Every structure is written in structure tokens, then in C-alpha cells.
Amino acid sequence: MDKTAFFQKFVAFTTAVHQVKHDLTKDLKPADITPVQYSILEYIAVQQPVTLSEISDCQHMSMPNTSREIRKLTEKGLCEKTAVAEDQRKQSIRLTPEGKAMMDKAFARIEARFFHRLQGASDEELKTIEQALDVLQAKVFHTE
């Protein structure tokens, strides 16, 4: 196997993933939140509960900027912080019911766009895509 060509294919794939994510999520955020805030809410929705440091790391933001954005989202009633039982110094961040409802609505629109992209795929092709996603998740995109 030509590992350089294999890696270049992976780079092209991840670039395409970012472009498709952009296409699927454009024009979804409410007007009163920034793109950064939407991205944080999306991460919380998928990974909750999370900590400030996890958000900071995933979003490539400094801790002060992350804290400020979480404070703004909390003030808007979209997320909430609670103390972690094992370590009272840590805070766990979750979506509020209002934040969850907003993200559920966004994910429903993303799902519709996703299946629109796949409208010509057969059931067999959809099963192959699902299996490929499982392998990618297990071997490439897993978190440690």
C-alpha cells in the first residue's frame, strides 16, 4: 500500500467532510447567536455533559474566551452549568430544555438536508455507507 497516497486520500476526505458539514449547517443558527456559539451548542448537544476545558480543546479556543461564550449562552437560557459531584471545582455544562429544543430543530433540518443528498442511493448503498461510517468512527475518529 502506498501510505502517502492513502494519507492524501484521507486529507481530501476530511476536507470534503468539513465542506459538507458547512453545506448541511449553513443558515441554521438563530440570529441572536454567533457562529462560534452555535458551534459550541452543537458540540454540547452531541457530547453532553461537557466541561469548559473539553469545549475549549474541541473548539480551539482559549479558556477565557470559552468561559465568556458559555456565560453568554447561559444568559440566553440555552445552557447551564452544574458542579460535578466528584470534584466541586469542576463544572458540567448541559443544554437547557430551551437549548435542546433549538438544537433538536437544527438537527431535524440537518437530517432532512442529509437525506436529500442521499436521495439517489439504494438501500444497499445506504447500508455500505453506514458500515463505512462505523469503521471510520472506530478506527479513525474515535476519542481516547
Side-chain angles (χ1 to χ4, degrees), residues 62-130:
S62 70
M63 283 295 285
N65 285 344
T66 304
S67 257
R68 184 174 42 255
E69 296 300 335
I70 291 298
R71 180 180 44 77
K72 290 175 184 177
L73 291 169
T74 300
E75 289 169 356
K76 292 176 185 195
L78 299 173
C79 67
E80 59 190 3
K81 296 188 281 186
T82 56
V84 174
E86 306 83 50
D87 184 350
Q88 294 293 316
R89 296 169 297 169
K90 280 188 173 181
Q91 292 188 320
S92 172
I93 302 164
R94 294 181 168 278
L95 296 179
T96 61
E98 182 181 333
K100 183 177 179 336
M102 184 185 82
M103 293 312 296
D104 286 349
K105 183 178 176 183
F107 286 141
R109 291 182 61 198
I110 293 167
E111 181 179 8
R113 290 174 180 180
F114 173 71
F115 284 112
H116 179 75
R117 289 180 76 93
L118 293 172
Q119 68 186 1
S122 68
D123 287 344
E124 184 177 321
E125 289 170 321
L126 292 174
K127 186 68 177 166
T128 300
I129 292 168
E130 181 181 24

